[in-house]
Amino acid sequence: MNDLFETLPFRPADILLPKDCEYSKWSVVACDQYTSQPEYWQRVEEYVGRAPSALRLILPESCLEGPSVETDIMEINNTMSRYLREGRFTEHPGALFYVERTLSTVRL
């Protein structure tokens, strides 16, 4: 590894980004943001439908007490493996990504 990164709290990694998908259906808000709002997750489920989505790769916190958590986790793992087999990602080996976010409530 390059000595340049030895003193930093982060390192280059092999990063996977989705490809050939509808990005509005791929992206999902962090799973803990709507902890107490299962109706939000139902709306997301309806919107995404059968499209490839990060929704299939997470277990929302509001579902942790559900009756089928173990089955849900198994399905998430199966979906991860399937997405990799199907080539749903572009790999960026040894990469760093800088993301800058601007909120609509912040005046520049």
Side-chain angles (χ1 to χ4, degrees), residues 3-55:
D3 290 337
L4 174 67
F5 297 103
E6 288 302 314
T7 60
L8 297 177
F10 50 87
R11 306 265 190 284
D14 296 345
I15 298 174
L16 300 175
L17 293 178
K19 68 176 181 181
D20 302 329
C21 68
E22 195 172 334
Y23 291 111
S24 64
K25 291 186 178 185
W26 176 268
S27 59
V28 175
V29 174
C31 61
D32 61 344
Q33 184 160 349
Y34 291 98
T35 299
S36 62
Q37 298 177 26
E39 63 279 358
Y40 165 80
W41 294 104
Q42 182 59 39
R43 286 193 315 272
V44 172
E45 181 72 42
E46 291 167 5
Y47 175 71
V48 167
R50 297 181 54 90
S53 176
L55 178 63

Side-chain angles (χ1 to χ4, degrees), residues 31 55-64 68-69 72-73 76:
C31 61
L55 178 63
R56 309 285 177 240
L57 304 177
I58 64 167
L59 181 63
E61 201 168 317
S62 64
C63 299
L64 289 176
S68 60
V69 172
D72 293 342
I73 291 170
I76 289 167

Side-chain angles (χ1 to χ4, degrees), residues 64-84:
L64 289 176
E65 302 298 323
S68 60
V69 172
E70 294 302 321
T71 303
D72 293 342
I73 291 170
M74 200 164 52
E75 184 60 32
I76 289 167
N77 289 327
N78 290 339
T79 301
M80 287 180 186
S81 295
R82 183 169 45 84
Y83 282 2
L84 289 169

